């Protein structure tokens, strides 16, 4: 247990510096844009919204680094793949939680002081419940971490050519599914699917909103990616 | 059993067989020279022992416990690798700090003391170190870690003569103060021949021999003279190589020395490890033939 | 002391021979302590097990002995013992080789004897 803690701390603390730099740059740019827009529009408009999107990009990068950097460093220090996997999952959770906390606090504060600014969560589910906002963001970030972690593991495993083929395959499937929905499936199926998707995102058919469904959906999708990652990493060799 | 036991390990990459049914064991409390030419399979075997890659067949046991994916042997084995697996952005002293958290047996003060001896600037980031100092950094970690089995993969790569001497003397000091197993994988046989006690020689994925250095020096010898006479002498003996100089022939033999027949014009001389090594692994690939 | 790993002789024998030589020439007098395994090992960068093997060889021959807790000491009479050993080896090591080479060179017994006498004569002259 102690060893796992050390590994989690190592993975987490070697990312915090990057996280600090990320926020510093993001808010410098945001401040710049805010000032320019504010000056140009006499303070009527606001420069950007939903800063959480850039955090999504950042956690995706962390998902990649979680394999690229930490796998070999921990292997050098005698960790098994099982331990490395769990410590990376813990690191993702900690990091997603931290960033979600920062983004929730800053986003809601910005919205509080300026109505024109909206947060990603607020624009979908409204403002007020800061705690579910934080949970939702954490789950969202975690899902992207797992997605990119799985992606980099698979790419590393199958090699460049096969990865490209898989990429082509996946985009093909997306095109195919879209086409199926538009031209093949009956209206009934399409509306059922839409309803299910809305439900997964918390928008119930009776018009109410369930705040925990979207969190649960993200976690389930994240867990599926995680299970995939676990099966791949268990047989991954150092290159 | 207190040893690293390698049992029937086979590993292939596509069509290339890197290790072919390798069985060998490294006992506790000895310094081994794990010798072989570049590409002989040394690193592949080390990577399998250290759970970095998987064997296709066979298993590695450390003190009787399987080494593959076993956290139970974490405090028993450390492998200093030729490849850079460390975070390049971290400072040396932070790497020391983390190693101390990963391993119970890491002596931070010793690491700092050794850094002073080698003149390693612990404030530098890994990527700012020269190739030689990157090796030194990795050596210091391995020397400061009190685990029973320590493997060095090409430890003196990029080190100058003074630092090599320093490394070997520190290694021996560690060995005296606290007996354990050191495995030194290298192709620089001459340098380690005084330090090591046992030799494991690997070539083209197969173990050619495992023997004590003293026995090897006692059993290895060369016979020179007229080609016909040399051939006659060599009949039924374990000849590992020949050299020819016109009508003169030198045969390199491994085995019991026997007295030459009366009046023989043959000359018997001893053979050093380097010669033995070159003769045993000479054929093919390296341009020795 | 100096050990050369590239020389074909096993290192423990080189160590034993050099220690023996130091004892014989009086570097380590009788009943004094000789350097420890670790000291020799550190000085020459030689595996301590190998050094110990060399020391054990001398101990077996009765040239050095172990004082419990103190280390290895030169035995009384060690110098004499070494002298006897070397004298008994003198014939095979030097005389036999000399005669062998002389025969290859087709030199007679008398030639050799006169050469030996010349050697002793020179020695006397130079002194």
């Amino acid at each position: 247990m102690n060893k796992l803690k050390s590994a989690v701390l190592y993975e987490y603390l070697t990312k915090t510096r990057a996280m600090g730099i990320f926020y510093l740059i993001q808010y410098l740019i945001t401040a710049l844009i805010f000032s320019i827009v504010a000056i140009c529009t006499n303070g009527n408009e606001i420069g950007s919204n939903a800063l959480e999107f850039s955090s999504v990009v950042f956690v995706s990068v962390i998902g990649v680094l979680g394999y690229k950097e930490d796998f070999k460093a921990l292997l050098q220090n005698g960790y098994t793949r099982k331990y490395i996997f769990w410590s990376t999952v813990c690191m993702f959770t900690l990091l997603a939680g931290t960033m979600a906390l920062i983004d929730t606090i800053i986003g809601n504060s910005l919205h509080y002081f300026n109505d024109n600014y909206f947060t990603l969560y607020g624009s979908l589910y409204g403002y007020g419940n800061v705690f579910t906002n934080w949970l939702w963001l954490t789950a969202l970030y975690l899902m992207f971490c797992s997605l990119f972690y799985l992606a980099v593991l698979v790419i590393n495993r199958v090699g460049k050519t096969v990865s490209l083929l898989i990429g082509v395959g996946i985009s093909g499937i997306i095109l195919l599914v879209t086409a199926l929905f538009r031209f093949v499936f009956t209206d009934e199926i399409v509306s059922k699917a839409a309803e299910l998707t809305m439900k997964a995102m918390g928008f119930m058919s009776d018009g109410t909103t369930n705040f925990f469904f979207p969190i649960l959906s993200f976690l389930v999708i994240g867990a599926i990616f995680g299970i995939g990652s676990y099966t791949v990493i268990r047989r991954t060799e150092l290159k | 059993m207190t040893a690293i036991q390698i049992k029937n390990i086979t590993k292939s990459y596509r069509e290339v067989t890197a290790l072919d049914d390798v069985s060998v064991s490294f006992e506790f409390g000895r310094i081994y020279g794990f010798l072989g030419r570049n590409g002989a399979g040394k690193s592949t075997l080390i990577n399998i022992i250290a759970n970095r890659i998987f064997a296709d067949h066979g298993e590695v046991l450390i003190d009787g416990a399987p080494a593959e994916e076993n956290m139970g042997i974490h405090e028993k084995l450390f492998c200093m690798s030729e490849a850079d697996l460390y975070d390049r952005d971290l400072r040396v002293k932070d790497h020391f700090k983390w190693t101390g958290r990963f391993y119970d047996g890491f002596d931070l003060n010793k690491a700092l003391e050794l850094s002073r001896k080698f003149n390693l600037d612990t404030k530098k980031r890994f990527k700012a170190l020269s190739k030689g100092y990157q090796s030194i950094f990795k050596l210091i970690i391995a020397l400061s870690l009190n685990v029973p089995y320590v493997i060095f993969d090409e430890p003196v790569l990029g080190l100058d003569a003074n630092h090599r001497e320093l490394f070997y003397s520190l290694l021996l000091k560690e060995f005296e103060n606290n007996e354990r197993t050191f495995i030194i994988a290298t192709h620089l046989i001459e340098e380690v021949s005084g330090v090591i006690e046992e030799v494991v020689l690997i070539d083209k994925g197969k173990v050619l021999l495992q023997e004590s250095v003293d026995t090897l020096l006692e059993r290895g010898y060369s016979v020179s003279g007229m080609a016909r006479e040399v051939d006659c002498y060599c009949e039924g003996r374990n000849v590992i190589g020949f050299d020819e100089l016109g009508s003169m022939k030198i045969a390199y033999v491994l085995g019991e020395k026997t007295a030459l027949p009366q009046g023989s014009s043959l000359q018997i001389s001893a053979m050093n490890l380097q010669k033995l090594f070159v003769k045993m692994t000479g054929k093919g690939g390296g341009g020795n033939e | 002391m100096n050990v050369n790993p590239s020389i074909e002789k096993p290192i423990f024998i080189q160590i034993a021979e050099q220690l023996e030589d130091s004892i014989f020439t009086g570097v380590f007098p009788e009943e004094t302590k000789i350097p420890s395994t670790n000291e020799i090992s550190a000085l020459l960068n030689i595996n301590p097990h190998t050094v110990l093997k060399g020391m054990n060889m001398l101990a077996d021959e009765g040239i050095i002995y172990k004082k419990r807790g103190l280390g290895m000491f030169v035995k009384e009479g060690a110098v004499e013992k070494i002298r006897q050993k070397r004298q008994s080896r003198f014939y095979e090591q030097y005389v036999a080789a000399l005669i062998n080479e002389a025969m290859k060179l087709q030199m007679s017994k008398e030639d050799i004897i006169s050469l030996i006498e010349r050697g002793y004569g020179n020695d006397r002259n130079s002194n």
Side-chain angles (χ1 to χ4, degrees):
Chain A
M1 231 22 232
N2 223 349
K3 299 275 175 231
L4 187 62
K5 197 178 125 199
S6 302
V8 175
L9 279 177
Y10 172 81
E11 291 204 47
Y12 180 65
L13 292 175
T14 50
K15 306 293 174 296
T16 47
R17 188 161 153 260
M19 192 170 78
I21 294 170
F22 162 74
Y23 275 119
L24 189 74
I25 292 174
Q26 174 180 287
Y27 285 111
L28 275 178
I29 293 175
T30 314
L32 194 71
I33 295 173
F34 272 31
S35 341
I36 293 170
V37 173
I39 290 165
C40 293
T41 63
N42 285 325
N44 292 329
E45 293 285 334
I46 194 149
S48 35
N49 277 301
L51 288 170
E52 294 89 338
F53 277 121
S54 41
S55 295
V56 166
V57 175
F58 181 76
V59 295
S60 305
V61 173
I62 293 294
V64 173
L65 290 181
Y67 168 72
K68 283 266 175 202
E69 289 291 325
D70 299 335
F71 179 69
K72 57 180 188 172
L74 290 176
L75 216 50
Q76 163 69 66
N77 282 295
Y79 281 85
T80 60
R81 288 157 184 78
K82 196 171 152 187
Y83 268 67
I84 294 172
F85 173 79
W86 285 112
S87 97
T88 305
V89 167
C90 290
M91 180 270 282
F92 285 161
T93 313
L94 269 177
L95 197 98
T98 314
M99 291 187 62
L101 188 68
I102 295 172
D103 290 341
T104 306
I105 292 171
I106 292 184
N108 282 288
S109 311
L110 280 175
H111 177 75
Y112 180 80
F113 289 116
N114 188 336
D115 271 348
N116 283 331
Y117 180 84
F118 59 87
T119 66
L120 185 58
Y121 182 81
S123 64
L124 292 171
Y125 302 98
Y127 301 88
N129 197 338
V130 179
F131 179 70
T132 45
N133 183 348
W134 172 70
L135 269 185
W136 183 84
L137 260 188
T138 305
L140 177 76
Y141 293 166
L142 202 51
M143 184 179 77
F144 274 93
C145 280
S146 336
L147 170 63
F148 278 83
Y149 189 53
L150 175 63
V152 71
L153 275 168
V154 169
I155 289 170
N156 169 74
R157 187 65 187 273
V158 297
K160 206 157 64 179
T161 324
V162 184
S163 309
L164 287 173
L165 288 176
I166 292 177
V168 171
I170 289 176
S171 37
I173 289 171
I174 291 172
L175 287 176
L176 188 71
V177 169
T178 331
L180 284 176
F181 270 99
R182 281 188 63 188
F183 304 113
V184 181
F185 292 153
T186 60
D187 286 351
E188 197 186 346
I189 293 176
V190 174
S191 67
K192 270 247 172 77
E195 194 182 318
L196 190 73
T197 313
M198 292 306 276
K199 221 180 201 169
M201 292 307 293
F203 305 113
M204 315 307 280
S205 43
D206 59 5
T208 57
T209 309
N210 185 316
F211 294 107
F212 286 96
F213 272 19
I215 297 171
L216 201 66
S217 309
F218 290 157
L219 288 179
V220 167
I221 297 169
I224 293 168
F225 293 149
I227 292 166
S229 305
Y230 186 73
T231 30
V232 178
I233 202 173
R234 287 292 288 189
R235 295 310 298 170
T236 294
E237 298 190 327
L238 185 77
K239 286 204 168 156
Chain B
M1 184 174 180
T2 49
I4 299 180
Q5 291 166 279
I6 288 139
K7 293 185 170 169
N8 309 99
I9 292 280
T10 297
K11 174 79 178 173
S12 308
Y13 293 103
R14 295 175 196 275
E15 288 91 45
V16 185
T17 305
L19 293 172
D20 186 7
D21 197 29
V22 167
S23 296
V24 66
S25 86
F26 299 98
E27 279 167 40
F28 177 76
R30 278 158 187 258
I31 304 180
Y32 285 89
F34 184 32
L35 309 171
R37 303 172 65 186
N38 290 327
K42 298 192 297 282
S43 290
T44 306
L45 186 60
I46 289 173
N47 280 335
I48 289 171
I49 297 172
N51 186 38
R52 290 174 186 165
I53 60 175
F54 299 110
D56 299 339
H57 300 286
E59 62 172 351
V60 175
L61 300 176
I62 294 178
D63 291 351
E68 189 180 294
E69 283 292 274
N70 181 1
M71 205 59 191
I73 58 151
H74 180 263
E75 293 290 325
K76 292 200 168 199
L77 176 79
F78 183 80
C79 175
M80 173 256 172
S81 58
E82 198 190 336
D84 292 331
L85 304 179
Y86 288 98
D87 187 329
R88 301 177 58 79
D89 291 318
L90 277 185
R91 291 175 202 283
V92 169
K93 58 176 181 193
D94 292 325
H95 273 303
F96 287 163
K97 188 189 80 187
W98 283 114
T99 311
R101 292 205 192 167
F102 295 143
Y103 286 97
D104 301 335
F106 186 73
D107 185 341
L108 181 63
N109 289 328
K110 186 181 280 171
L112 295 174
E113 187 198 317
L114 294 181
S115 302
R116 277 192 295 276
K117 282 189 175 157
F118 277 105
N119 260 329
L120 170 68
D121 183 357
T122 56
K123 288 190 204 73
K124 275 195 176 169
R125 296 183 197 281
F126 183 83
K127 63 180 172 194
L129 299 173
S130 68
K131 197 82 203 148
Y133 269 104
Q134 290 182 352
S135 291
I136 288 173
F137 159 74
K138 290 185 278 186
L139 291 178
I140 289 176
I141 288 186
L143 287 171
S144 311
L145 193 54
N146 186 11
V147 294
Y149 302 97
V150 183
I151 304 174
F152 295 95
D153 194 0
E154 296 291 355
V156 295
L157 216 66
L159 268 65
D160 63 26
N162 293 15
H163 282 154
R164 286 178 186 208
E165 283 288 305
L166 183 57
F167 164 65
Y168 293 126
S169 74
L170 288 168
L171 180 93
L172 286 170
K173 204 172 131 200
E174 277 308 311
F175 183 67
E176 280 154 22
N177 293 344
N178 193 348
E179 198 171 50
R180 52 200 133 142
T181 301
F182 289 119
I183 299 169
I184 306 173
T186 182
H187 60 278
L188 303 168
I189 183 167
E190 200 78 348
E191 259 187 40
V192 294
S193 59
V195 175
I196 60 178
E197 205 180 342
E198 290 246 340
V199 169
V200 174
L201 183 58
I202 183 171
D203 192 46
K204 296 189 199 86
K206 281 183 177 293
V207 173
L208 291 186
L209 64 85
Q210 171 164 27
E211 196 76 78
S212 88
V213 174
D214 289 331
T215 314
L216 269 183
L217 288 176
E218 274 166 338
R219 286 163 53 87
Y221 63 98
S222 66
V223 180
S224 56
M226 301 282 288
R228 200 167 16 88
E229 273 186 84
V230 171
D231 287 338
C232 189
Y233 176 88
C234 289
E235 220 159 276
R237 289 175 206 272
N238 181 15
V239 180
I240 55 175
F242 287 108
D243 272 329
E244 265 168 306
L245 284 167
S247 63
M248 194 180 107
K249 193 169 189 177
I250 306 169
Y252 301 93
V253 187
L254 204 57
E256 211 62 46
K257 268 175 235 172
T258 47
L260 288 170
Q262 198 70 43
S264 166
S265 68
L266 291 177
Q267 295 263 335
I268 286 194
S269 34
M271 172 162 51
N272 66 24
L273 277 187
Q274 177 83 29
K275 197 83 195 169
L276 195 92
F277 171 78
V278 168
K279 283 297 153 198
M280 289 194 80
T281 59
K283 281 174 209 96
N288 254 307
E289 295 294 295
Chain C
M1 263 176 97
N2 172 32
V3 163
N4 186 352
S6 64
I7 285 181
E8 296 74 4
K9 218 176 248 180
I11 292 162
F12 75 96
I13 294 179
Q14 291 186 47
I15 286 178
E17 281 177 353
Q18 298 207 16
L19 276 175
E20 190 192 272
D21 214 54
S22 305
I23 292 167
F24 189 60
T25 55
V27 176
F28 306 122
E30 290 178 5
E31 289 303 333
T32 61
K33 187 178 178 300
I34 64 166
S36 71
T37 315
N38 291 356
E39 282 166 336
I40 297 175
S41 154
L43 178 73
L44 305 171
N45 271 358
I46 297 293
N47 190 306
H49 289 173
T50 311
V51 179
L52 190 66
K53 213 167 154 187
M55 289 229 188
N56 285 340
M57 213 171 117
L58 290 183
D60 288 344
E61 291 176 24
I63 292 167
I64 56 174
Y65 68 105
K66 193 175 192 163
K67 266 193 192 172
R68 192 163 293 175
L70 292 174
M72 294 300 250
F73 281 69
V74 181
K75 215 172 191 171
E76 208 188 314
V79 175
E80 188 50 37
K81 205 167 243 162
I82 295 169
R83 196 192 323 277
Q84 275 171 19
K85 185 175 91 178
R86 290 192 173 188
Q87 278 177 359
S88 71
R89 271 211 320 235
F90 185 81
Y91 176 79
E92 52 183 274
Q93 209 162 13
Y94 297 100
V95 180
L98 179 88
I99 293 169
N100 200 6
E101 180 68 7
M103 280 163 81
K104 275 192 203 160
L105 297 171
Q106 297 176 331
M107 290 165 82
S108 70
K109 186 174 155 189
E110 288 68 33
D111 291 340
I112 307 288
I113 291 172
S114 74
L115 280 176
I116 290 172
E117 276 168 355
R118 197 175 96 193
Y120 272 102
N122 277 350
D123 209 27
R124 222 168 287 139
N125 291 345
S126 66
N127 278 348

